[in-house]
Amino acid sequence: ALPVLVITFEVREHTEIDVVATGEATLGGRLARHMQVAEIRLPLAPSAKDLADVAARAQAAPQVVCVSYNAVLKPEQQALLAALPVDKVWLVAGRLPYDLDLLPQARGRLTAFSNRPAALEAIAGAVVF
């Protein structure tokens, strides 16, 4: 399988709803069991420079998975989604399913409804390249 770039917008503060992911607990960590993965983990509202750097890497990557997190509420995530190569990107809505509406032309779209390990495990088994 071709290498995949996994872009994860991650929660960095634990709450009753949100889990701070580490290591294999990310979608990238799960996919790395079966394929070559490069994972970029971003805060929920990254800088313009980080967004530009990640967009450039995504354009050069053979395939891309982007895990949004409430992107409908985050202009920074929306900006990155608009810059992704839709013909080779899977969008995973990591919390609110409405994020999928931001990239209707993506190669694939799935919603996890959560960033918890069980939800990401199910997503890892459903992403098909």
Side-chain angles (χ1 to χ4, degrees):
L2 291 171
V4 62
L5 174 65
V6 178
I7 303 164
T8 300
F9 288 98
E10 67 179 0
V11 173
R12 296 191 172 169
E13 294 181 17
H14 184 84
T15 69
E16 288 182 13
I17 296 171
D18 303 316
V19 175
V20 177
T22 56
E24 198 175 284
T26 67
L27 183 58
R30 286 179 159 66
L31 291 174
R33 297 176 192 160
H34 312 290
M35 60 186 68
Q36 183 182 345
V37 170
E39 184 173 33
I40 300 172
R41 296 166 68 174
L42 296 168
L44 297 182
S47 71
K49 181 188 183 315
D50 285 346
L51 291 174
D53 291 346
V54 172
R57 283 193 62 187
Q59 289 295 333
Q63 46 196 5
V64 180
V65 174
C66 182
V67 183
S68 67
Y69 198 89
N70 296 344
V72 291
L73 307 175
K74 300 286 183 185
E76 299 87 353
Q77 290 184 46
Q78 293 169 33
L80 180 65
L81 291 177
L84 293 177
V86 295
D87 58 322
K88 58 183 175 180
V89 67
W90 276 76
L91 174 58
V92 175
R95 184 86 180 118
L96 293 176
Y98 312 110
D99 289 1
L100 298 185
D101 293 336
L102 298 171
L103 205 62
Q105 68 277 40
R107 178 170 179 184
R109 299 181 305 153
L110 297 166
T111 186
F113 294 103
S114 163
N115 67 343
R116 294 188 178 267
L120 294 177
E121 188 69 37
I123 292 292
V127 173
V128 178
F129 294 105

